Each structure stands twice: as structure tokens, then as C-alpha cells.
Amino acid sequence: MKKDLRIKSHVFDDSKRAPNRAMLRAVGLEDEDFKKPMIGVASTWSEVTPCNMHINDLAVRAKEGARDAGGVPLIFNTITVSDGISMGTQGMRYSLPSRDLIADSIETVVGAENLDGFVTIGGCDKNMPGCMIAIAQSEVPSLFVYGGTIAPGYRNGEKLDIVSVFEGVGKHNNGDISDEELHGIECHACPGAGSCGGMYTANTMASAIEALGMSLPGSSSNPAESKYKEEDCRKAGEAVYTLLEKGIYPKDIMTKQAFENAITVVMALGGSTNAVLHLLAIAHAINVDLTIDDFDRIQKEVPHLADLKPSGKYVMEDLHKIGGTPAVMKMLYDAGYLHGDCLTVTGKTVAENLEDATPLPEDQEIILPLDKPYRKTGPLVVLKGNLAPRGALAKASGVKVKRHTGPARVFDTEDEATKAVMDNEIKEGDVLVIRYEGPKGGPGMPEMLSISAILVGKGLGQKVALLTDGRFSGGTHGLVVGHIAPEAQVGGPIALLQEGDIVTIDSEVQEITMDVSEEELEQRRNNWTAPPLYSKGVLGKYAHNVSCSSIGAVTDNFDEE
């Protein structure tokens, strides 16, 4: 007989709660069930994106695991939006706000239904941080399961993914490929369920969460359509019960050292710049003092080892075949890069989990040796200077250009900038600036994969610098700098930049500057007026509440200066 583990659901015990129990009986609970812990399964299932279209079945597997362990599992849903589908359109403004909507909706259900613990299952990019913020806020035993990566597409023997299509648009505009070739790439890039295949934002955040200790070993690299993923979900349902038995809460796992482990794995794998934004937000939710300076410190210490897309050749499925994220973590731990004493959702420490991990094979080429890294330091570089006093982010992997100086070509919308690129108005050496795209100004800090991929497709990926106070997709590569803070909407220096100003980006000294005197900037500042803040619906609420990107673009930082 398993001991009584109910915590919050004790509220249903006495005679006053007969009406509450009556409602629960309607969804299938019986007398014995009221003696068991109620475990939620937060599903992000949706037909609007391949990243999430299989998660309904995975939620059922998690429910089975929780029931077999001794709990009373209840599936509930939350939203998702597809970054890949909304990219380059006005719909992309809803992407980052969806992170907070997901977090708030899960926290709301867990709190309102008095659940004792829960499993979250996520697919597309904002699912991961949204679920993790909810876990932090809900303060009950819980863990995350990644819905898994998509298999690569194939055409004429070449591996394809969604970024292949975005870059194909640039090649097509340049006249390098035909209509038929672009259509063929489009039709073969996404063969089924799962999140985008390279080390883009979804796979980056899944890996970070596993390193953080909040998902089961291997969960981040097991493919979406596999028996491994079904087993991930079943074991996750069982694991919540174990967490309840042992009294392990998210705050016991998500410590400062655990976040350092997550950042270390992101750097080693060459992850997305979005990891900085999301890990800051998760840390804020769990009350861990994590700052952008912590990323800067770890970036200098951890080598980039993975030859993964977008800057490399391989995809997440390839990493899975050689041992996945646990194999990479084992190598990093053995070399002294990870804190082994951090607790995880298995109830064991990182070091104990890695005892069972299979080492990387000697004959593989996906993860390079520590003494022959892709880069000697991490690829996510924090830049500061008079153009970004609170910081900006560059992804240096695969970029040969360490310093770029050129005239600013300034646009206040992505559409205007994209038209200029497609019309061949942007030339080699230019610094293409897209502003008023930050958390408040966008609103929603839209990603710029569409225009960055077009530049790569046109052969300008390392010949034109692209700067924005918005974001870049994990699929972006090239000479790009995002998250420029403060953003234009609040009067950050990027708002004062003028056409033709000389801008310098230097990844080695980690500076981003404009050759404009303080006196001239002050004069421009006095003549600058903020555009009206968006004031309608979800985006209006977001614009009025969101904080600076340098602290995670959170919506509950009420003490921000």
C-alpha cells in the first residue's frame, strides 16, 4: 500500500467539499481516488504546427505512468503557436508573449484545481520556457518532457530542414535556384511530427532543461516519433509520484549551480541566443539571481564542441544516435565543466545520473574533442557599448568575421528592411538595422529568421551585419546581433541611430558601438519622441507589462528601474 501523498487535494476531504467531489466524479474519480495525489498532465497538443501535433498521444503515455505509480492523472491543455509558420509575418509578434500565456495558463489550472504535482509536455520553441516558468511559479513537484525533434527531410540525397527553405528564398531571389527547385525544397523539408531539427531554440531549450535537472536523462535528444519518446512520457508520469514521495520541489533542483550547468551545455552545443532570454526568465520565476553577466562569464570558460546546424552539418537526430545529451554531459562532467552534486527530477544527482550514460563513440564527428573544439569559447557572445549599454547578443559560431565596421542602413520595420534586401538595395559592408522590434516596441520582440536567411541565401550572410532590438531564431546564422538593450521604444541608443552613422561590431573585444559623440546623441535624444505604445488585446497587455530583454523580457518584474 502506497502511503498517502496528497498535499493540496486535502481540500476535498470533508463534508463541505461534497459538491467539489461530485464534479470530480463526473470526470471519472471514485472513492479510492480521493485518497491519492492528483497529478496534472499539461499538454501543448495542437494541429497548428508539426512540433506539437503528436503530443496528445504522448500525454496519454504520461497519464498511464502517473496512474500506474499510484496517482490520479488528469490531462489539460494549453496553447502553442508556431514560430516557423508565423516567421516574417505580423503573427511573429505573438510568439514571445505566448511563452507567458502558456506559463500563466498552466499555473492557473494547477492552482485552481489544487493539483499535487504535474508533468508538462512541450514541442515548439516557447513551450519549453513557458512550461518551466509555470513549474517555477506553481511550487509543486513537477517536471518537463520534450515532445522531441523532427526527422530530417531528404531531397536528392541532401538533408533538409525548415532553415533550408528560408535560405532557399534568398537563393531564389538571387536567381540561383528555379521555382521548381524552391518548391521541391519546400515539399521535402518537414517530413512529420517534431520540433525543428537543428540546434535551434526548441532543441537548445530542451537540452538546457535536461542539464538543469528538470527533465529525465535523454529526454531532450530522443526523437519525436520513436519508442524512446513514448517511454520518456510514461517514465515522467511515474517520476512525478517519486518526487511527491521524496518531497522534492522545483526550488530544490533549480539552483544557481543548476542554471550554470544549463548554460554550459548550451554553450558546448552551440545553442540559440533565445536560451539567454528564456533561462533568465525561468531563473526570475524561481528566484535565482541569474544575470546576463553569468552568461558572459561561462561563455569565456566553455568551448563550443558541436557540429550541429545552423552553423554545422548535423541535426539532433544524429546526436541521439551517438548517445544524445547525456553523452555530451558525461564528457563535460568528466572534464570538470558541470556541477555533479546538483539534484535532478530522478531523485538522483547529475553525477549519479551520468554513471549510467553511454560515452560518446570515438569514431563520431558530431561532438568534437575538448582539445580540438569548434571554438575555444562559447558561441553566444554578450556585446556592450554605446549602442547597447545593457547588452546585446551575437552568435559567433560559424562566423569568420570578428570585426565589422560599416554605414548604418536604418529601418523601423522588418518589412521595409526585407524589401530593401530583396530589391538589392543593401550592399556588402552595410550594417542593416531593424529597430522598434523589442519586447515593448514590436511588441513581442519578433524573430528575424526570414530576413537573416534571405541574406545568407543571397551570399551576404557574412558581408552585411544585421542588428536589431528584436530576436533571432535559433536557426539564424551569419553576422547578426539581437536583443539590443535598451530597445528603441524606450529611447535606447538604437532609436537615435541615423542613416549613414558608422557602426562597429567586434566580437573579440565584445563591443558594439556607433561613431557618434555623446553631445550629438544628447541632442538627438532631446529631439526624439517615443511612438505610441501598442494598446489593444494581448499584445497591448504585453507591451505595457514586459521588461527589458536583458533581464529576460518577463512580465512580472514590477521593480524594474
Side-chain angles (χ1 to χ4, degrees):
M1 176 70 69
K2 292 184 181 291
K3 63 181 180 179
D4 184 359
L5 301 177
R6 289 177 302 151
I7 304 169
K8 295 172 73 175
S9 53
H10 274 306
V11 299
F12 299 120
D13 283 354
D14 63 37
S15 59
K16 294 193 303 295
R17 301 299 174 222
N20 311 63
R21 294 194 296 273
M23 296 284 285
L24 287 167
R25 290 179 190 279
V27 299
L29 271 67
E30 300 177 352
D31 285 347
E32 282 300 307
D33 293 322
F34 292 106
K35 301 175 184 177
K36 302 174 183 177
M38 292 173 58
I39 296 173
V41 178
S43 168
T44 57
W45 171 80
S46 176
E47 292 181 334
V48 303
T49 171
C51 307
N52 297 65
M53 67 184 192
H54 62 305
I55 287 177
N56 198 40
D57 292 337
L58 297 181
V60 172
R61 300 286 87 76
K63 181 176 180 178
E64 290 170 353
R67 181 189 293 115
D68 291 347
V72 178
L74 301 165
I75 296 175
F76 64 94
N77 281 81
T78 185
I79 66 159
T80 190
V81 298
S82 171
D83 287 8
I85 296 171
S86 63
M87 194 73 67
T89 74
Q90 290 299 305
M92 176 43 71
R93 303 188 185 284
Y94 288 89
S95 168
L96 188 56
S98 77
R99 178 190 77 179
D100 294 67
L101 286 169
I102 291 165
D104 292 348
S105 65
I106 294 174
E107 180 192 346
T108 298
V109 174
V110 171
E113 298 293 319
N114 295 287
L115 299 179
D116 296 316
F118 64 103
V119 179
T120 61
I121 309 173
C124 200
D125 292 7
K126 303 311 171 295
N127 296 177
M128 270 69 74
C131 289
M132 288 304 302
I133 291 169
I135 284 172
Q137 299 282 26
S138 298
E139 299 180 341
V140 298
S142 43
L143 74 158
F144 175 77
V145 185
Y146 179 39
T149 184
I150 194 172
Y154 287 90
R155 184 170 184 271
N156 299 328
E158 179 185 358
K159 281 187 179 180
L160 301 174
D161 62 14
I162 188 62
V163 177
S164 308
V165 193
F166 279 107
E167 292 179 1
V169 173
K171 293 176 182 178
H172 179 263
N173 176 255
N174 225 30
D176 296 332
I177 62 174
S178 65
D179 291 349
E180 291 75 19
E181 179 71 11
L182 179 60
H183 185 256
I185 296 170
E186 171 190 336
C187 291
H188 290 83
C190 301
S195 300
C196 299
M199 189 45 62
Y200 310 146
T201 300
N203 284 324
T204 296
M205 288 309 302
S207 301
I209 293 167
E210 182 173 330
L212 189 63
M214 288 302 298
S215 63
L216 297 174
S219 171
S220 64
S221 45
N222 288 336
E225 296 182 300
S226 70
K227 65 180 185 298
Y228 303 103
K229 186 52 58 185
E230 292 184 4
E231 191 63 16
D232 282 343
C233 293
R234 186 177 185 88
K235 286 182 178 178
E238 297 171 352
V240 176
Y241 197 93
T242 301
L243 292 171
L244 280 162
E245 282 185 315
K246 295 185 176 183
I248 298 174
Y249 289 78
K251 64 181 174 58
D252 301 319
I253 298 172
M254 288 193 275
T255 63
K256 179 66 174 282
Q257 287 189 327
F259 277 97
E260 290 177 344
N261 283 347
I263 297 169
T264 295
V265 169
V266 168
M267 292 293 178
L269 291 176
S272 166
T273 53
N274 281 314
V276 179
L277 193 75
H278 297 325
L279 287 172
L280 286 171
I282 297 165
H284 170 81
I286 202 72
N287 294 320
V288 166
D289 182 20
L290 190 72
T291 73
I292 198 169
D293 293 331
D294 291 306
F295 289 84
D296 184 44
R297 168 175 56 84
I298 295 171
Q299 181 268 334
K300 292 177 170 64
E301 300 169 352
V302 178
H304 176 197
L305 304 172
D307 190 13
L308 293 168
K309 289 189 174 188
S311 54
K313 294 184 295 185
Y314 298 99
V315 295
M316 197 64 161
E317 184 179 77
D318 297 318
L319 181 61
H320 161 74
K321 292 174 181 176
I322 61 166
T325 306
V328 178
M329 289 180 63
K330 185 178 184 67
M331 180 176 72
L332 291 170
Y333 172 67
D334 289 345
Y337 285 99
L338 297 179
H339 303 292
D341 57 350
C342 291
L343 188 62
T344 75
V345 292
T346 64
K348 300 178 181 179
T349 65
V350 168
E352 289 171 332
N353 287 343
L354 293 177
E355 288 177 3
D356 299 327
T358 303
L360 289 165
E362 292 185 4
D363 59 348
Q364 59 83 31
E365 299 178 344
I366 301 166
I367 304 298
L368 304 183
L370 285 160
D371 60 350
K372 295 179 181 178
Y374 209 56
R375 270 177 57 96
K376 292 182 180 179
T377 57
L380 304 185
V381 181
V382 177
L383 308 175
K384 290 186 178 180
N386 69 348
L387 188 51
R390 295 188 67 172
L393 288 173
K395 187 171 181 179
S397 55
V399 179
K400 297 178 181 178
V401 180
K402 308 301 181 187
R403 179 184 172 91
H404 180 98
T405 298
R409 303 297 311 279
V410 183
F411 298 88
D412 289 348
T413 71
E414 183 184 1
D415 286 345
E416 293 171 334
T418 301
K419 184 177 186 303
V421 172
M422 298 289 277
D423 290 346
N424 298 314
E425 296 173 9
I426 303 302
K427 307 299 183 184
E428 181 176 335
D430 284 347
V431 177
L432 179 58
V433 179
I434 307 175
R435 63 188 179 189
Y436 295 103
E437 300 285 11
K440 288 182 177 293
M445 208 179 177
E447 292 179 351
M448 307 286 173
L449 173 59
S450 180
I451 189 169
S452 66
I454 291 170
L455 285 169
V456 170
K458 290 175 71 67
L460 296 173
Q462 300 199 44
K463 298 175 181 177
V464 169
L466 175 56
L467 314 184
T468 182
D469 52 4
R471 298 180 296 129
F472 289 107
S473 163
T476 293
H477 61 111
L479 189 56
V480 299
V481 180
H483 302 219
I484 290 177
E487 63 174 294
Q489 180 67 43
V490 300
I494 190 174
L496 311 178
L497 198 61
Q498 293 183 0
E499 187 82 6
D501 287 343
I502 300 300
V503 173
T504 297
I505 306 103
D506 192 320
S507 63
E508 292 193 316
V509 298
Q510 296 182 230
E511 288 184 353
I512 179 167
T513 58
M514 51 182 169
D515 189 14
V516 182
S517 69
E518 284 300 317
E519 293 77 14
E520 173 64 18
L521 286 175
E522 187 61 29
Q523 183 176 347
R524 292 182 187 180
R525 188 173 288 108
N526 291 335
N527 293 326
W528 175 81
T529 302
L533 201 60
Y534 202 93
S535 60
K536 183 179 180 182
V538 169
L539 294 182
K541 294 173 187 176
Y542 187 82
H544 282 80
N545 286 283
V546 70
S547 71
C548 182
S549 60
S550 65
I551 58 173
V554 297
T555 51
D556 61 350
N557 192 63
F558 305 119
D559 298 324
E560 184 182 14
E561 296 179 358

